[in-house]
Amino acid sequence: MTASAPGPRAVLLLSCPDAPGIVHAVTGLLAEQGCTIVQSHQFGSATTGTFYLRIEFARTDGARPDLDRLGTGVAPIAARFGMTWSLADTGHRPRTVIMVSRFAHCLNDLLFRNSIGELALDVVAVVSNHPDLGRLADGYGVPFRHIPVTRETKPAAEAELLDLVRAEGVELVVLARYMQILSDDACTALEGRAINIHHSMLPSFKGARPYHQAHERGVKFIGATAHYVTADLDEGPIIEQELLRVDHSLSPEQLAARGREAERLALARAVRWHSEHRVAVSGNRTVVFP
């Protein structure tokens, strides 16, 4: 293992039922194919019996790892251990669509972080059901797509969204305070590549005006949860959470302002962990590697 390996790097991320020989099989394959390990993190869950592994590696000769060839080698190992796995080039910038309604804080934060290199996304479009934030997207040089949504037009609007995802080869969809509930069909089509953000007071304060509800109950903590989108509303695997202490002196509007801060931080970290292939998912549980 060496942190100074030259050349491009790649990541193997996997989860499977825990069993002897997993690390031996994987590292043996990498050695056979002329690769050296740059970083390795693993975790075995005593409660679920699931093993998680993230290995970042490079070729010893400095060439770019051949992911197709490596994938061919990983496949029989994965079948043997029942793995869910992925291989990715660490230099790859995932083609991304950011969806938003009228709240600008998460969108602006993601676009700003991406513009200064804190995130490594290829943002192909900002999609919104309102026209309000078009100028913000334009300011970052990102195409803006207005797709209005009503009860009657929702199926057509989702079809337009999924057409965009297919046409642009989109690998990640970020719901940055997009205030429309995606249909089960859309959630299924985007499974594993759509991230949502919401206030972490759910399920205690659902529906309209959650911060007013929280204020009335005298909450002492507020926060935000970033998770993968599934057909079970706001119950997908959790990637990241942010928690802030509050007190009785804050108005509902001040609670909401603090909540926006938590939402920005949690969503940015979740997008980073996903794009860096640091999130291993097994069922409804996740492991986020350092």
Side-chain angles (χ1 to χ4, degrees):
M1 181 183 297
T2 174
S4 59
R9 299 177 180 181
V11 170
L12 172 62
L13 185 68
L14 65 88
S15 63
C16 62
D18 205 350
I22 298 171
V23 174
H24 179 268
V26 171
T27 56
L29 172 68
L30 293 175
E32 289 172 5
Q33 299 211 13
C35 298
T36 184
I37 296 172
V38 177
Q39 294 183 25
S40 180
H41 300 279
Q42 64 190 61
F43 171 71
S45 171
T47 56
T48 66
T50 304
F51 180 77
Y52 303 86
L53 178 65
R54 181 186 188 272
I55 294 182
E56 185 173 331
F57 59 92
R59 284 190 55 87
T60 56
D61 60 7
R64 184 173 299 279
D66 186 338
L67 298 189
D68 290 335
R69 182 166 174 249
L70 281 163
T72 300
V74 171
I77 298 174
R80 173 183 166 194
F81 289 102
M83 293 176 179
T84 298
W85 61 281
S86 64
L87 275 168
D89 187 328
T90 59
H92 176 65
R93 299 169 63 91
R95 293 178 64 78
T96 303
V97 162
I98 303 176
M99 301 187 68
V100 66
S101 289
R102 285 192 164 117
F103 294 108
H105 55 289
C106 286
L107 172 64
N108 186 62
D109 187 64
L110 292 174
L111 292 178
F112 173 71
R113 290 176 188 270
N114 200 53
S115 71
I116 63 173
E118 284 190 19
L119 297 175
L121 308 174
D122 179 8
V123 183
V124 301
V126 170
V127 172
S128 179
N129 55 322
H130 297 284
D132 306 48
L133 299 180
R135 293 179 66 181
L136 176 59
D138 290 342
Y140 285 98
V142 177
F144 182 80
R145 177 80 70 90
H146 178 213
I147 304 180
V149 180
T150 66
R151 181 176 299 179
E152 293 74 22
T153 65
K154 186 170 184 174
E158 287 194 345
E160 184 176 346
L161 167 66
L162 295 178
D163 284 345
L164 172 65
V165 167
R166 285 188 290 268
E168 293 289 344
V170 171
E171 301 157 275
L172 175 62
V173 175
V174 183
L175 278 62
R177 293 304 305 272
Y178 181 68
M179 307 305 290
Q180 292 287 323
I181 298 174
L182 298 181
S183 69
D184 289 359
D185 288 345
C187 290
T188 299
L190 299 174
E191 184 175 2
R193 53 177 172 153
I195 296 173
N196 189 26
I197 185 70
H198 64 67
H199 52 87
S200 65
M201 292 173 291
L202 288 171
S204 299
F205 305 111
K206 289 186 176 182
R209 296 162 65 87
Y211 290 103
H212 286 74
Q213 298 177 52
H215 182 263
E216 291 170 3
R217 292 290 299 276
V219 299
K220 300 300 183 281
F221 288 97
I222 63 171
T225 298
H227 63 90
Y228 286 112
V229 173
T230 65
D232 295 323
L233 182 63
D234 292 335
E235 295 187 15
I238 293 170
I239 309 168
E240 183 59 273
Q241 292 180 301
E242 179 68 21
L243 191 65
L244 299 174
R245 179 175 284 278
V246 296
D247 61 38
H248 61 276
S249 68
L250 299 178
S251 68
E253 291 73 23
Q254 289 171 319
L255 287 180
R258 296 284 183 88
R260 288 192 291 271
E261 178 184 347
E263 289 164 6
R264 290 189 299 101
L265 292 172
L267 184 58
R269 285 198 295 262
V271 170
R272 181 183 297 120
W273 302 156
H274 174 90
S275 64
E276 293 179 354
H277 307 279
R278 296 183 182 273
V279 187
V281 182
S282 177
N284 205 41
R285 292 177 60 92
T286 59
V287 165
V288 180
F289 290 100

